[in-house]
Amino acid sequence: MRIGIYKMAFATTNDYLDLVELAKERSVDPNKFTIGIGQDLQAVVPPTQDIVTLGATAAKKLLTPELEKNISTVIVATESGIDNSKASAIYIKRLLGLSDFTRTVEMKEACYSATAAIQFAKGVVALNPQETVLVIAADIARYGLNTPGEVTQGAGAVAMLISRNPHILTLEDTTVAYSKDIMDFWRPLYVTEALVDGKYSTNVYIEFFLQTFTRYQQLTGRELADFAALTFHMPFTKMGKKGLEGLLKDRNDEVAQRLRTQLTASQLFSRQVGNLYTGSLYLSLMSLLQNSDLKAGSRIGLFSYGSGAEGEFYTGILEDGYEHYMNNIQEELEHRHQVSVAEYEKLFSSQLGMNDQDIEFDVTNDPLPFVLKGQKDHQRIYEAK
């Protein structure tokens, strides 16, 4: 039985910041952001949006009444949780109008957990072939104003339906997970912005990729020539390049050139949105599929990484007509609204965060279908517009 990604959709906020403008405001050479980090634009989050609203918006693009009938489980992967106890999946299930006879859970392991969710979903479908699992990777990456990590912020959600007879990608059986207790990036319960050792984290990322890919080769006997493309977790697009070059080194043959070309295709959307944490790998996959000419039957490698740290390398085979089962991301990105640096700073500081007070947001100008109206009696108030 073939099991894999049946449909995919992406959602982000309606506002974005031009990082050249941010560089000028911060008295930094713009090339440091656009070339050194590999980012051009960054999603900006209004207080009316969070992982619940973004996750629901992405999922809404996937669903039809017929598909909803088969959804047995909703898994939300995030490191931007809104509650230490209640799963964000429960809110999303209600906003989407899914049956109450639905399993809802939230998963966490930095940027990696969406991959674990997919593997768990595959197991659910293998045991119950008639079922479909909705996996949502939703995050808001925050590092603070005027911080070294400011340029690697971002927000968005990728929603995926995992089922038998997939339309996009059939998942192959061999997968390699690798984990170590490492303090390269973490966020204690008492802070809203992450703590990170950037250079160390990059080195760990490359090490985990090489470890998992080498182990994969040992288990399967496959070579680089067996891959049409490799996709990477991209907290910033230069990270994916560092991973690939760590493998290719000085290699410059036809295979290496092809993989570098496909990497560029996979970076295009991330350059315009920023860091999605759990969703970054899957946005890069969608970018690859919508900006390249890959054929059905192509094998794609996926490297997932989450600081702390865990990595996984696995593969999938492209299905015929895959391009018809995703939303047109570039078209949607072109209709966003640019904000100034001052507006971005105001919005950044207006997030609900750890505020314990009652608050009501003005949702009038938020065009997304789901909004966070505010908080009352310590309960977040969500609305379908």
Side-chain angles (χ1 to χ4, degrees), residues 301-314:
L302 299 97
F303 173 62
S304 180
Y305 177 78
S307 296
E310 185 152 4
E312 184 165 342
F313 183 84
Y314 70 110

Side-chain angles (χ1 to χ4, degrees), residues 82-333:
I82 60 166
D83 190 287
N84 287 329
S85 177
K86 186 174 180 179
S88 52
I90 295 179
Y91 296 100
I92 291 175
K93 187 220 75 171
R94 175 179 63 80
L95 289 172
L96 295 174
L98 298 178
S99 167
D100 286 345
F101 294 99
T102 303
R103 181 186 299 112
T104 53
V105 292
E106 181 174 310
M107 298 183 62
K108 179 181 72 177
E109 202 324 275
C111 302
Y112 162 76
S113 59
T115 297
I118 288 172
Q119 298 298 347
F120 296 166
K122 183 180 177 184
V124 170
V125 176
L127 290 172
N128 305 280
Q130 76 282 4
E131 296 183 4
T132 297
V133 179
L134 172 58
V135 172
I136 299 171
D139 267 305
I140 296 172
R142 288 171 60 95
Y143 294 95
L145 303 177
N146 287 288
T147 64
E150 184 177 28
V151 69
T152 63
Q153 298 178 140
V158 176
M160 298 168 276
L161 293 176
I162 308 300
S163 74
R164 64 179 175 176
N165 301 324
H167 286 314
I168 296 178
L169 197 70
T170 292
L171 302 180
E172 296 190 287
D173 290 336
T174 302
T175 179
V176 178
Y178 185 80
S179 62
K180 286 185 177 182
D181 185 0
I182 290 173
M183 300 302 288
D184 62 328
F185 173 108
W186 68 104
R187 182 161 63 86
L189 293 175
Y190 49 82
V191 297
T192 57
E193 283 79 46
L195 306 175
V196 59
D197 184 337
K199 185 175 182 180
Y200 179 45
S201 188
T202 298
N203 292 337
V204 173
Y205 173 101
I206 296 170
E207 176 199 345
F208 274 45
F209 170 55
L210 297 178
Q211 289 279 6
T212 55
F213 186 77
T214 300
R215 178 63 172 163
Y216 175 86
Q217 288 185 300
Q218 292 169 347
L219 293 174
T220 64
R222 293 189 180 121
E223 302 295 334
L224 275 176
D226 295 314
F227 293 90
L230 298 176
T231 55
F232 294 82
H233 164 57
M234 291 185 190
F236 53 94
T237 64
K238 194 67 172 289
M239 184 76 100
K241 179 177 174 60
K242 288 176 181 290
L244 181 61
E245 294 304 329
L247 178 66
L248 296 179
K249 301 188 187 319
D250 295 328
R251 185 169 170 173
N252 200 32
D253 57 12
E254 181 181 348
V255 171
Q257 291 176 15
R258 181 183 74 239
L259 294 177
R260 290 186 176 106
T261 297
Q262 302 295 18
L263 175 70
T264 299
S266 74
Q267 294 172 321
L268 295 178
F269 294 156
S270 294
R271 291 189 71 97
Q272 301 176 67
V273 176
N275 194 351
L276 301 189
Y277 286 159
T278 54
S280 292
L281 169 60
Y282 299 99
L283 180 60
S284 72
L285 174 61
M286 295 183 76
S287 184
L288 171 71
L289 298 184
Q290 295 189 18
N291 293 290
S292 67
D293 57 355
L294 292 175
K295 307 300 182 184
S298 297
R299 175 175 289 110
I300 297 175
L302 299 97
F303 173 62
S304 180
Y305 177 78
S307 296
E310 185 152 4
E312 184 165 342
F313 183 84
Y314 70 110
T315 59
I317 303 297
L318 270 183
E319 293 295 326
D320 187 37
Y322 66 85
E323 63 273 15
H324 302 300
Y325 295 92
M326 298 173 284
N327 63 309
N328 187 325
I329 295 177
Q330 186 58 50
E331 180 179 324
E332 294 181 8
L333 292 178

Side-chain angles (χ1 to χ4, degrees), residues 327-345:
N327 63 309
N328 187 325
I329 295 177
Q330 186 58 50
E331 180 179 324
E332 294 181 8
L333 292 178
E334 290 173 357
H335 286 86
R336 293 180 297 170
H337 168 251
Q338 182 177 348
V339 298
S340 66
V341 175
E343 289 172 318
Y344 144 72
E345 292 178 338

